[in-house]
Amino acid sequence: ALNKALREEMVRNADWLIHIDVDEFINVRAGNGTLDDFLACVPDATNVAMTWRMFGNNRVERFEDRPVIAQFDHAAPRYCPKPHTSWGFKTMTRNSGVYGKLSCHRPNKRNPGAPVQWVNGSGKPMPARYHDKGWRSDPSSVGYDMLQLNHYALRSAESFLIKRQRGRALHVDRS
């Protein structure tokens, strides 16, 4: 689907691209809380690593047809290096032809020598090792000051049981 998306006119003409899931919510803390406000703070950025902030079930048992962000407001602490997925990130990338492929967490197949200005959610530069691979922040690269990606993987107990019964979307061979 991501490969096909790159051929769509809307995607080809977009200024920025990101692949996020329905259980993820971009939380902008810069300016008035818009992506434009954040991007104005990092005008030279070509990539933005949006590190997950994991949210728990808030002791909600039943599914309710209400906004997720209103029901679940208890997040993992800002310093939460374990489990290893806690600091996973999704990358918003400027659609400038630097990368030839999108994946779930980041762009791939960088054109050799193409300049990259990769920042985290605090607007600070990401280490160069992320320019070509990696999708988890570490203590030197995590940043939540201006932007974070709220990840509501659990939601209510009832929603989790339905999700568990459905199975994993990407790793169908694992329970």
Side-chain angles (χ1 to χ4, degrees), residues 10 24 34 36 51 55 88 90 93 98 105 121 125 136 149 168:
M10 180 186 299
E24 297 167 340
T34 68
D36 285 340
T51 304
F55 279 71
K90 298 289 184 91
T93 187
V98 170
H105 289 269
R136 295 182 188 119
L149 191 61
R168 297 177 64 126

Side-chain angles (χ1 to χ4, degrees), residues 97-99 110-117 131:
V98 170
Y99 291 91
R110 180 166 65 119
N111 295 333
V116 172
Q117 178 69 31
H131 294 184

Side-chain angles (χ1 to χ4, degrees), residues 10 27 59 80 125 144 157:
M10 180 186 299
N27 182 350
R59 298 190 176 164
C80 188
Y144 294 126

Side-chain angles (χ1 to χ4, degrees), residues 20-172:
I20 62 173
D21 300 327
V22 297
D23 63 357
E24 297 167 340
F25 178 84
I26 299 173
N27 182 350
V28 180
R29 296 188 169 118
N32 290 319
T34 68
L35 280 174
D36 285 340
D37 290 338
F38 172 78
L39 293 172
C41 296
V42 291
D44 298 327
T46 60
N47 298 294
V48 178
M50 299 181 180
T51 304
W52 280 335
R53 187 88 182 271
M54 305 298 273
F55 279 71
N57 73 348
N58 214 28
R59 298 190 176 164
V60 175
E61 292 182 14
R62 308 284 302 174
F63 169 81
E64 292 183 39
D65 189 13
R66 296 189 311 124
V68 169
I69 61 174
Q71 294 181 70
F72 308 103
D73 58 3
H74 285 70
R78 287 171 63 101
Y79 185 78
C80 188
K82 295 196 184 253
H84 72 281
T85 56
S86 291
W87 281 347
F89 62 76
K90 298 289 184 91
T91 305
M92 185 171 67
T93 187
R94 192 180 297 271
N95 194 14
S96 60
V98 170
Y99 291 91
K101 184 174 173 69
L102 290 179
S103 69
C104 292
H105 289 269
R106 53 163 299 123
N108 289 308
K109 296 188 177 180
R110 180 166 65 119
N111 295 333
V116 172
Q117 178 69 31
W118 204 311
V119 300
N120 66 15
S122 293
K124 296 185 174 143
M126 292 288 284
R129 68 179 177 274
Y130 289 104
H131 294 184
D132 294 302
K133 62 182 179 176
W135 64 272
R136 295 182 188 119
S137 294
D138 61 39
S140 72
S141 63
V142 69
Y144 294 126
D145 295 331
M146 294 189 287
L147 181 144
Q148 73 185 25
L149 191 61
N150 294 2
H151 193 189
Y152 302 94
L154 294 176
R155 297 178 301 281
S156 70
E158 190 174 70
S159 294
F160 174 76
L161 291 174
I162 292 168
K163 182 178 180 177
R164 185 170 184 257
Q165 184 178 25
R166 177 202 71 207
R168 297 177 64 126
L170 294 176
H171 303 285
V172 294

